Amino acid sequence: MSREGGAPGIATAANVVTVVRVVAIFAWLAAAELAGPLLPDAVSVPWALTALLFIAIASTDSLDGYLARSRNEVTDFGKFLDPIADKLVVVSSLLVLMAQGLVSIWVVVVVVAREFLVSGLRMVVASKGVVVAASWLGKAKTATTMGAVGGYLVAMALPQAWAPTLWLYGLSWVAMAAAVVLTVWSGADYLAKCWKHLS
């Protein structure tokens, strides 16, 4: 939908997807809160539904951006809300895993610190009219983090005494470790690109 003069209004397809994502994140958090205990010898249906909802939310990570660009409907509202939605997905999912004792508080601190760093740098360089292009590291960090969280959630839904479940926990731990490395690396890379603009 466009306003007079051709500029897109707020109610674009991309913005609708973004708003739905934000609402879905809070619905997912509520589902995780109510999912109950993990089961040693049976599939936990509540946790299975929680895992499926997370996978659905994570799979739309780039959909709103694609819609905005392909339909020429990039808006200030979308630029504002889309990064917030991305950060809510990552931070809320890590907090749920931390509450279950599956990730360390240091994982959450590193991820949140990186987000603060990059957001602050973007504001500083943007005030000087500079746009720093995102690198593949950020996309790799996000994909690896989402994959690790998804793996943990699926493992939580499976019978906890089942051997493949233990393997899935192990693979998820490796993926999360890789995500932390990529988080630090991408943050350092962004800082290096912005450094000359900070004086």
Side-chain angles (χ1 to χ4, degrees), residues 61-129:
D61 178 54
S62 301
L63 178 59
D64 43 9
Y66 169 77
L67 287 173
R69 291 188 296 272
S70 64
R71 297 162 63 97
N72 195 28
E73 294 179 343
V74 177
T75 66
D76 290 337
F77 179 80
K79 291 177 183 178
F80 160 73
L81 192 60
D82 181 58
I84 293 177
D86 294 340
K87 291 172 177 58
L88 278 174
V89 173
V90 173
V91 175
S92 61
S93 60
L94 290 178
L95 288 174
V96 167
L97 295 181
M98 187 178 72
Q100 293 292 326
L102 295 172
V103 299
S104 165
I105 190 175
W106 287 104
V107 173
V108 181
V109 169
V110 167
V111 170
V112 172
R114 186 265 183 197
E115 297 302 335
F116 276 126
L117 171 70
V118 172
S119 295
L121 288 172
R122 280 179 179 154
M123 285 190 292
V124 170
V125 298
S127 68
K128 299 183 178 183

Side-chain angles (χ1 to χ4, degrees), residues 18-33:
T18 304
V19 171
V20 170
R21 284 177 64 211
V22 172
V23 173
I25 291 164
F26 289 99
W28 177 81
L29 273 174
E33 284 278 303

